[in-house]
Amino acid sequence: MIDIGGESTRPGAEPVPADEQIKRVIPIITEIRRHSPILLSIDTRLSEVAEAALNAGANVINDVSAGRHDPAILRVAALEQVPIVLMHSRETPKTMQDHPFYEDVLHEVITELRERINAALDAGVRPDHIVLDPGIGFAKRKQDNLVLLAGLEQLTALGYPVLLGTSRKRFMGSICPVNEPSELVTATAVTTALGVMAGVKLFRVHDIVQNRHAADVAWAIKHCQD
């Protein structure tokens, strides 16, 4: 699947209006769809953008706010009968890393994801169209990210497919002696392998081949006694 977005959601990023997001993403989706049936996800917090992208040929909604920013996006997913990724975060991309704090990050993330699941179900989203994302690096401190990765099995135990997005995230750069995010390929592949062992189904990555190799080896180990 290719994930396409019209605004950055990195820490500190400014929001982009719906009309500008549409202007950026629709030509790309249209052109890809002319040549390939590959699955496309639209990375947006806005219902208007999601609807336009689906009409242009996108297949999945990926909302880093899980419907908090624009609740109507949940109704779009329900009406169009498409999967939606509900990612955990707090506040907005511009402010989320200002002062993130958790007493028990794993418990709080699971509790807040359950709230978003209920909101999606209430909006009419089919249970089998819900995907969860713990939001690694979104309103999280380094230790929070590590605790979430250590507790992935508790997230997959919720019964919904889990998507993991750790690719080149800066918290790993504070652990590994690297200068550039592009040097975190091996570190990312390690988290991919851990995710497979914990039952994670989907991975958002930059370096596809290396992470696929890590996933395949982890899958073989996990199922070697089946």
Side-chain angles (χ1 to χ4, degrees):
M1 185 188 303
I2 298 175
D3 190 44
I4 299 170
E7 75 172 351
S8 173
T9 52
R10 70 184 185 281
E14 297 284 349
V16 176
D19 57 349
E20 179 61 27
Q21 288 192 45
I22 290 170
K23 188 186 302 182
R24 293 176 181 181
V25 302
I26 298 306
I28 297 171
I29 294 171
T30 302
E31 187 64 16
I32 292 175
R33 190 52 73 229
R34 283 181 58 219
H35 300 282
S36 172
I38 191 170
L39 291 175
L40 301 175
S41 65
I42 176 63
D43 184 351
T44 186
R45 298 176 294 153
L46 300 178
S47 58
E48 185 179 347
V49 179
E51 188 168 17
L54 294 172
N55 289 336
N59 310 99
V60 177
I61 299 171
N62 179 18
D63 181 3
V64 300
S65 79
R68 291 182 300 106
H69 185 77
D70 180 359
I73 202 169
L74 301 176
R75 293 196 295 275
V76 171
L79 289 171
E80 298 294 335
Q81 297 193 35
V82 296
I84 183 167
V85 179
L86 304 175
M87 195 193 80
H88 178 272
S89 186
R90 289 176 174 175
E91 300 188 33
T92 66
K94 183 174 176 58
T95 61
M96 65 184 178
Q97 289 303 118
D98 288 351
H99 303 287
F101 178 77
Y102 301 85
E103 294 284 353
D104 182 340
V105 66
L106 187 57
H107 173 75
E108 291 174 55
V109 167
I110 288 174
T111 298
E112 290 169 30
L113 281 175
R114 281 185 171 139
E115 292 172 357
R116 302 320 305 158
I117 291 168
N118 289 335
L121 294 174
D122 288 344
V125 178
R126 286 168 35 182
D128 62 335
H129 278 173
I130 293 174
V131 177
L132 304 180
D133 182 341
I136 300 296
F138 283 76
K140 312 291 191 305
R141 301 161 297 183
K142 171 185 170 182
Q143 186 63 21
D144 298 327
N145 293 319
L146 296 174
V147 170
L148 287 170
L149 288 169
L152 283 173
E153 287 187 352
Q154 293 188 50
L155 286 162
T156 59
L158 293 174
Y160 297 90
V162 170
L163 183 152
L164 185 64
T166 62
S167 189
R168 304 184 182 183
K169 290 289 174 72
R170 66 178 64 187
F171 81 94
M172 295 187 294
S174 68
I175 299 171
C176 306
V178 301
N179 296 315
E180 299 293 336
S182 59
E183 298 178 86
L184 290 168
V185 180
T186 302
T188 301
V190 170
T191 65
T192 295
L194 289 171
V196 169
M197 298 301 286
V200 173
K201 301 295 186 185
L202 300 157
F203 298 86
R204 185 179 184 275
V205 299
H206 298 86
D207 308 286
I208 297 170
V209 172
Q210 296 90 333
N211 281 278
R212 181 57 191 254
H213 289 171
D216 286 345
V217 172
W219 182 266
I221 294 169
K222 183 178 176 67
H223 294 279
C224 67
Q225 295 179 322
D226 288 355

